[in-house]
Every structure is written in structure tokens, then in C-alpha cells.
Amino acid sequence: MHILRINTKKKQEIIEITSLVKDIVKKAKIDSGICVVYVPHATAAIIVNENYDAALNEDIIKRLEKLVPSNADYRHDRIDNNAHAHIKASILGPSETIIIKDGELRLGRWQGIALCEFDGPRERDVYVEIIKK
Ligand code: ZN
């Protein structure tokens, strides 16, 4: 397993990690298999989506904030004031699985892999596991 250590900068943000994952896949030198990208934190998520227009990431953060406002009447906020971050992370999920074929990640032309931070800034680990076919 490989670990990517990412320092997030904002309270909520989406950080492109595609090239970091691609480097790990390249070094693994396998022809076919799968790549699992997993974040072991309860207030962060991993997504695969368009990475061409950075404004889309702002749209995703903004829309999630409308659906799940940072400040509402959450019971969990009595503990560490981040219920909204857990809910957003639950909606998106902690991992993505990408197929490796001919030694490369089979992402679509406009797709990238991103880490979503909902309770930053923090140091986050992202686990990358490559399983050979
Ligand atoms: Zn919490």
C-alpha cells in the first residue's frame, strides 16, 4: 500500500490528486489490475469527476454546502462541531476504484481523482492500493 500525504489548505476544498496516483501506478509496472484510492478520515472523501474546469470543484463545494449547511442543529456538534463535514463525506464516500489496463488508469478523458476536504485545514493520508490481475 502507498500513502499520499496531502496538506489541505482550506476548511472545505477539492484537491486534484490524479498525477500523484498515476505516478504510483506507473511505478507498479503492472499491465492489468485495479487501483483503489481510499481516504481513512471521517470528514474527507474521494471522488472521480471532471478535472478540466476548476470552477466545477467550487460548484460542488457550494452545492453541498446548500444541501448540508455548516451550521445547523446537529447533535454531533456538541462533540467537535463538524457534523456537516461527516455528512458531506458520507454522501461522497471514502474511496474510488479505477481499472488499470495496459499499465494505465482507465479514466475517461475528462475524469480525474480528487480528495475532498470538509474539515480542514489538516494533514490527510490517502491510501493507494494496486491489485494485479
Ligand atoms: Zn466529528
Side-chain angles (χ1 to χ4, degrees):
M1 184 185 75
H2 304 261
I3 300 174
L4 296 171
R5 194 145 288 160
I6 313 282
N7 287 301
T8 63
K9 304 253 176 344
K10 297 181 188 168
K11 186 83 182 164
Q12 302 188 71
E13 66 179 319
I14 295 178
I15 297 170
E16 174 63 29
I17 59 169
T18 310
S19 62
L20 299 171
V21 177
K22 279 184 174 173
D23 284 348
I24 292 169
V25 171
K26 196 180 256 181
K27 282 178 189 152
K29 289 186 175 144
I30 65 161
D31 187 58
S32 296
I34 57 171
C35 174
V36 179
V37 183
Y38 179 87
V39 65
H41 304 286
T43 54
I46 298 292
I47 59 169
V48 169
N49 213 297
E50 179 180 316
N51 64 355
Y52 180 74
D53 179 17
L56 178 64
N57 289 340
E58 289 172 37
D59 290 337
I60 292 170
I61 292 286
K62 259 193 184 170
R63 180 51 62 179
L64 285 170
E65 183 61 30
K66 272 197 178 163
L67 290 170
V68 187
S70 291
N71 298 302
D73 189 20
Y74 304 115
R75 295 186 65 213
H76 179 71
D77 283 353
R78 287 173 302 178
I79 297 171
D80 61 358
N81 209 37
N82 65 357
H84 75 97
H86 291 292
I87 296 167
K88 287 164 183 159
S90 296
I91 291 170
L92 299 181
S95 75
E96 290 287 355
T97 305
I98 303 118
I99 292 167
I100 300 168
K101 182 93 172 42
D102 301 324
E104 288 185 8
L105 289 174
R106 291 306 234 197
L107 289 164
R109 184 173 173 191
W110 306 106
Q111 284 181 318
I113 307 160
L115 166 68
C116 304
E117 171 64 83
F118 296 114
D119 194 25
R122 288 178 192 234
E123 187 179 88
R124 298 294 197 174
D125 284 342
V126 175
Y127 297 163
V128 180
E129 183 71 280
I130 292 168
I131 299 156
K132 193 178 172 187
K133 186 178 170 188

